[in-house]
Amino acid sequence: MAELLDGKLLSTKIKEDLKLKAAEFEAKYCRKITLAVILVGENPASCVYVKNKIKAAEFIGIKSLSFSLPENTEEKDVEDLINNLARDKSVDGILVQLPLPKHLDEEKILALIPPEKDVDGFTAENVGNATLFKDCVNSCTPAGIMYMLKSINVPLSGKHAVIIGRSNIVGKPIALMLLKENCTVTVCHSKTVDLKSITKQADILVVAMGKAKFVTSDMVKDGAIVIDVGINRTETGLCGDVDFETVKDKASYITPVPGGVGPMTIAMLMYNAYTCALRRENV
């Protein structure tokens, strides 16, 4: 029976620590850490995520500036808003909630965020520095996964890590982070041939593909660490990309859905806001 990697518990510890750090920051620099959050449209999932991010910021003592724009907002208006926030010396971090409405150029809009205010770690400069294993703002979900892995004190060096999914938000950056820890990394995707034969080799299996309960016990190596990034809404409620009930008896550690990677993503976003604020104070 696998041990649970409890994202709620870990994220609470991170946020409590950040609450103290944010108070120290405010006392030293006579200002609050400030995070600007931009939401375009009314995607239900995005609205929930933004609400949770603002709630976490309030708990920690980070000032949040919330900008909710209509679905049909013109690209120039979004660009103008980001440019204004980029110039605003009181703003430490800028977050554009994804996905954006289809008529907006996501890549172009994200490129307007200064790297030093890029709390999501999505700008080309931060991604490039991550590729080179240089200091950067790391993407939140992969950073949360790494925090979870390190919390169980299992040596990562030499482990075979298999990732299902090659997105810019999870798959690619977590591959880089695991490489940095000297794992042997295999990235699988929709064109991978004989997926099961590869996943069964994984000491660490990270699943981020968006298909409910896709990974079953016959795809998992005995004693593997299984990280389920997926969150799918089904008739019976929320579930991950991993068939939790069957895989939990085969893995050594496993993340639940909900309550696993999700809370860690928000905690690491808050950590990024804090580190961006420190860097802007030349710390």
Side-chain angles (χ1 to χ4, degrees):
M1 182 76 166
E3 288 190 45
L4 279 185
L5 285 169
D6 190 334
K8 282 187 178 179
L9 181 62
L10 284 173
S11 66
T12 298
K13 290 178 180 177
I14 293 169
K15 288 185 289 186
E16 287 175 347
D17 181 55
L18 285 173
K19 189 173 186 177
L20 297 175
K21 286 181 165 62
E24 291 171 0
F25 181 95
E26 184 176 355
K28 185 172 182 178
Y29 298 107
C30 300
R31 69 178 186 87
K32 280 184 175 290
I33 299 166
T34 301
L35 173 65
V37 181
I38 301 170
L39 173 66
V40 185
E42 297 182 359
N43 178 297
S46 292
C47 290
V48 171
Y49 292 148
V50 166
K51 183 180 178 180
N52 289 339
K53 289 168 183 176
I54 292 172
K55 183 179 178 182
E58 289 174 352
F59 172 80
I60 291 165
I62 293 173
K63 181 180 178 181
S64 60
L65 305 176
S66 182
F67 300 89
S68 295
L69 307 178
E71 181 86 17
N72 61 354
T73 299
E74 292 185 8
E75 191 164 295
K76 186 181 183 303
D77 292 333
V78 180
E79 292 174 358
D80 288 346
L81 174 58
I82 294 173
N83 286 329
N84 288 336
L85 293 170
R87 289 189 294 266
D88 190 335
K89 293 182 179 180
S90 70
V91 173
D92 298 295
I94 302 170
L95 181 156
V96 177
Q97 182 63 44
L98 302 179
L100 289 168
K102 291 181 179 180
H103 70 282
L104 299 177
D105 187 333
E106 186 175 292
E107 185 176 342
K108 184 180 178 183
I109 286 170
L110 292 178
L112 296 173
I113 301 173
E116 67 273 13
K117 294 189 179 186
D118 172 29
V119 289
D120 267 327
F122 290 164
T123 61
E125 184 171 327
N126 278 317
V127 172
N129 283 332
T131 303
L132 297 171
F133 299 160
K134 289 185 176 181
D135 185 46
C136 64
V137 182
N138 284 308
S139 186
C140 302
T141 299
I145 292 169
M146 293 307 301
Y147 192 99
M148 296 178 98
L149 290 172
K150 291 181 178 181
S151 74
I152 57 177
N153 295 315
V154 173
L156 298 178
S157 182
K159 293 287 193 297
H160 186 187
V162 174
I163 301 155
I164 306 179
R166 54 178 169 178
S167 71
N168 293 333
I169 295 174
V170 181
K172 291 176 186 175
I174 191 61
L176 290 169
M177 291 180 193
L178 288 165
L179 274 174
K180 189 177 181 180
E181 296 296 328
N182 299 312
C183 290
T184 299
V185 179
T186 303
V187 179
C188 301
H189 45 79
S190 60
K191 305 301 181 185
T192 297
V193 176
D194 197 7
L195 179 64
K196 185 191 294 188
S197 69
I198 300 171
T199 59
K200 285 182 69 105
Q201 300 175 41
D203 302 306
I204 301 166
L205 181 60
V206 181
V207 190
M209 58 190 302
K211 290 188 177 181
K213 299 184 181 181
F214 179 87
V215 172
T216 49
S217 63
D218 61 329
M219 298 172 69
V220 178
K221 177 181 178 181
D222 285 337
I225 300 169
V226 179
I227 308 293
D228 189 353
V229 186
I231 184 159
N232 306 283
R233 298 181 186 277
T234 68
E235 292 179 358
T236 55
L238 294 178
C239 70
D241 293 347
V242 175
D243 185 0
F244 181 86
E245 290 302 319
T246 62
V247 173
K248 71 180 182 182
D249 294 325
K250 205 166 186 181
S252 58
Y253 293 90
I254 190 169
T255 59
V257 177
V261 175
M264 294 299 295
T265 298
I266 293 176
M268 299 316 294
L269 172 68
M270 298 300 118
Y271 176 80
N272 283 352
Y274 169 68
T275 56
C276 284
L278 287 180
R279 285 171 180 167
R280 294 186 66 242
E281 296 291 348
N282 297 314
V283 178

